[in-house]
Amino acid sequence: GAGVSQTPSNKVTEKGKYVELRCDPISGHTALYWYRQSLGQGPEFLIYFQGTGAADDSGLPNDRFFAVRPEGSVSTLKIQRTERGDSAVYLCASSLSGGDDEQFFGPGTRLTVL
Amino acid sequence: GDSVTQMEGPVTLSEEAFLTINCTYTATGYPSLFWYVQYPGEGLQLLLKATKADDKGSNKGFEATYRKETTSFHLEKGSVQVSDSAVYFCALISSNTGNQFYFGTGTSLTVIP
């Protein structure tokens, strides 16, 4: 596909469970970002990858959140011991090489923690 | 820290009305400024950007000028259409925080025929 894709589109889980959210960036984009968007708010930065490495993970709220990008393309955001406050839309974006390059956003994964 | 403050919505306008959505920023260093738009049922997409003071970004009839003296990047359009109904987000990336985009809270615009 031509754009950024994210799966699943919706995820409902119970408090305390583990979830994985997947992002497929645009082919050839070296930079990949994860954001969290709560209702009525703008996207909040979580983590930035340049290639396979997490160049900036300062936005991750705590150690229950972790993300990987092992081959420099697909990325997975992992949340352990989910809490109700983790409920939000998780957005992934990619850009050609980072910096102020245009970011292309996926449709997001809506996570609901019951 | 760096931040963006934008006009709260929702904003409702009649077709062909003039639009202004205010955005001001706080940043260390020399930020690049952006407007992103989210149409109903779609993902965020870049509308326009400006990378240095006095630059004007423009696209689809929308314009915004990077004003360093007032730390502003207001979005304007002379004549809105129903198809412009969307949520608009102002954002910045700073030379001091090269990886982090900071987004405003978004302004919902509805244009009625």
Side-chain angles (χ1 to χ4, degrees):
Chain A
V4 177
S5 61
Q6 292 185 247
T7 54
S9 55
N10 278 285
K11 177 70 177 179
V12 180
T13 191
E14 293 179 343
K15 181 175 177 294
K17 298 292 188 183
Y18 168 83
V19 296
E20 290 189 350
L21 312 179
R22 175 186 168 108
C23 172
D24 276 274
I26 293 173
S27 177
H29 281 193
T30 63
L32 185 146
Y33 305 78
W34 283 99
Y35 295 88
R36 178 168 67 177
Q37 187 174 19
S38 301
L39 194 63
Q41 301 297 314
E44 173 193 17
F45 171 83
L46 296 177
I47 187 169
Y48 159 65
F49 286 89
Q50 182 56 252
T52 60
D56 184 346
D57 64 358
S58 61
L60 295 176
N62 51 60
D63 62 5
R64 296 187 297 106
F65 288 74
F66 189 70
V68 296
R69 194 186 186 198
E71 297 178 357
S73 55
V74 170
S75 177
T76 305
L77 178 66
K78 308 180 181 195
I79 310 174
Q80 298 177 320
R81 305 183 302 281
T82 52
E83 299 178 356
R84 293 194 179 89
D86 298 335
S87 297
V89 176
Y90 289 82
L91 298 172
C92 176
S94 69
S95 72
L96 190 59
S97 55
D100 61 7
D101 286 353
E102 178 179 358
Q103 294 192 13
F104 293 83
F105 282 81
T109 293
R110 182 176 299 278
L111 175 65
T112 303
V113 182
L114 302 177
Chain B
D2 293 4
S3 66
V4 171
T5 302
Q6 66 180 100
M7 182 172 118
E8 289 195 15
V11 174
T12 302
L13 294 173
S14 297
E15 207 165 20
E16 299 183 3
F18 184 85
L19 169 71
T20 300
I21 301 178
N22 290 338
C23 171
T24 57
Y25 66 89
T26 301
T28 54
Y30 303 96
S32 295
L33 302 172
F34 305 80
W35 279 99
Y36 276 79
V37 59
Q38 187 167 28
Y39 297 104
E42 299 185 17
L44 279 156
Q45 56 188 273
L46 179 66
L47 180 59
L48 53 85
K49 76 176 194 182
T51 58
K52 61 182 188 295
D54 299 324
D55 269 3
K56 178 186 285 189
S58 60
N59 186 25
K60 298 182 180 179
F62 290 88
E63 292 184 340
T65 301
Y66 187 161
R67 302 282 189 203
K68 188 178 177 184
E69 63 275 15
T70 54
T71 62
S72 66
F73 192 56
H74 304 322
L75 182 68
E76 296 183 337
K77 186 174 185 181
S79 176
V80 294
Q81 306 300 311
V82 171
S83 57
D84 294 327
S85 299
V87 181
Y88 293 82
F89 294 90
C90 187
L92 72 80
I93 186 169
S94 167
S95 56
N96 282 11
T97 63
N99 308 310
Q100 294 199 25
F101 270 69
Y102 292 87
F103 283 85
T105 54
T107 302
S108 175
L109 169 68
T110 301
V111 180
I112 54 177

